[in-house]
Amino acid sequence: MDRKIIVTGGCGYVGSHIVVQLIENQFEVLILDNLSNSSEASLDRIKQITGKRPLFIKVDLSDRAAMAKIFEQHNDALAVIHLAALKAVGESIEIPLKYYYNNLNCLLNTLNSQIENGINKFVFSSSATVYGSPDELPITEKSNTKRPFSPYGNSKRIGEEIIEDLCKIKCDFSSISLRYFNPIGAHESGIIGELPKGVPNNLMPYITQTAAGIRDKLMVFGGDYPTHDGTAIRDYVHVMDLAQAHIDALNRLLNEEQDTPYETFNLGSTKGYSVLEMIQTFEAVSKVKLNYEITERRAGDITELYASTKLAEEKLGWKAERNIDEMIRSSWEWEQNLRSEKE
């Protein structure tokens, strides 16, 4: 029997790296994506790396009827990895209803469609934002989840609660939520990486696009945080380490190794880096000087986040392997390759 996995949002940044890992682990992949923040070109890039082009259906996951039809046709899938969501923190504050409608409807339609077709394993792309402003650091899975500061983060928190409630009443359904900290980096081939549409919302592509001359200036949001240099601190994890965690979570589900039907795991590097430290490290790795300006804080951002990943190490056998220099170097190599393609 084919080992088919459905990946929603599989053409995106994190999704494309997960799909590469799935194919290299002998899974057949079906990607469902509306390409709102990605491109079909990622399918060709995945084929360049793996030699296989994944199955792809362009679909709006909020279309209940379309999703039901697709899952009926692919009811031989073993599991779903659900990544599809709008994800810009700042934008979600400006247009909250769009984020709640999209992210929750996409989740509900995916869950309903897979359950109706007997697909009972589910990996959820969650976020460290579910912890809100943490009471303690490092953050563990036992840390309280709180009302996040953005509708994006809150859609992830509500999503987790929906899945947990489902696992309580549907005895044959099991799920793992993976709480990402800050994914950066690119595949070692330099063939796939982060390519946001428009102005980047995340720090790393903003840095690399500024260094490449695509952006005139890097805006650093907030220089008055109560940190050692006044800028916010985050935990960064290489996207390929993140992708491996999805394989480990999937195998835990498929091998029925869970302690409970619903589990959550932090995915981070366990270290925090400030924005200014990221800029300085990029300059040291790339030998490129960045033009940046410290401006006002951005709504929805908090002071400091970094993870404990002891539970993932114990239960998934996973920990981040790549250091910050490797993360930054691969991001810069991807950016340079991308620009050389366009010349």
Side-chain angles (χ1 to χ4, degrees), residues 12-66:
Y13 169 46
V14 174
S16 60
H17 289 80
I18 292 171
V19 170
V20 165
Q21 288 288 82
L22 286 167
I23 292 172
E24 291 183 344
N25 281 271
Q26 310 307 312
F27 288 100
E28 179 189 355
V29 179
L30 168 63
I31 295 174
L32 306 182
D33 203 311
N34 69 354
L35 305 179
S36 64
N37 193 36
S38 59
S39 166
E40 209 168 332
S42 64
L43 302 172
D44 296 324
R45 295 179 182 278
I46 290 167
K47 185 178 179 181
Q48 274 185 267
I49 296 169
T50 66
K52 293 183 180 178
R53 184 183 173 93
L55 298 171
F56 169 68
I57 299 174
K58 184 178 180 182
V59 61
D60 181 350
L61 274 71
S62 66
D63 184 335
R64 178 79 176 91

Side-chain angles (χ1 to χ4, degrees), residues 131 139-145 179 264-267 308-312:
Y131 293 112
I139 299 168
T140 74
E141 290 81 358
K142 291 183 179 179
S143 300
N144 291 328
T145 57
R179 293 170 174 168
T264 59
F265 296 101
N266 289 340
L267 301 182
S308 165
T309 60
K310 287 181 180 178
L311 191 65

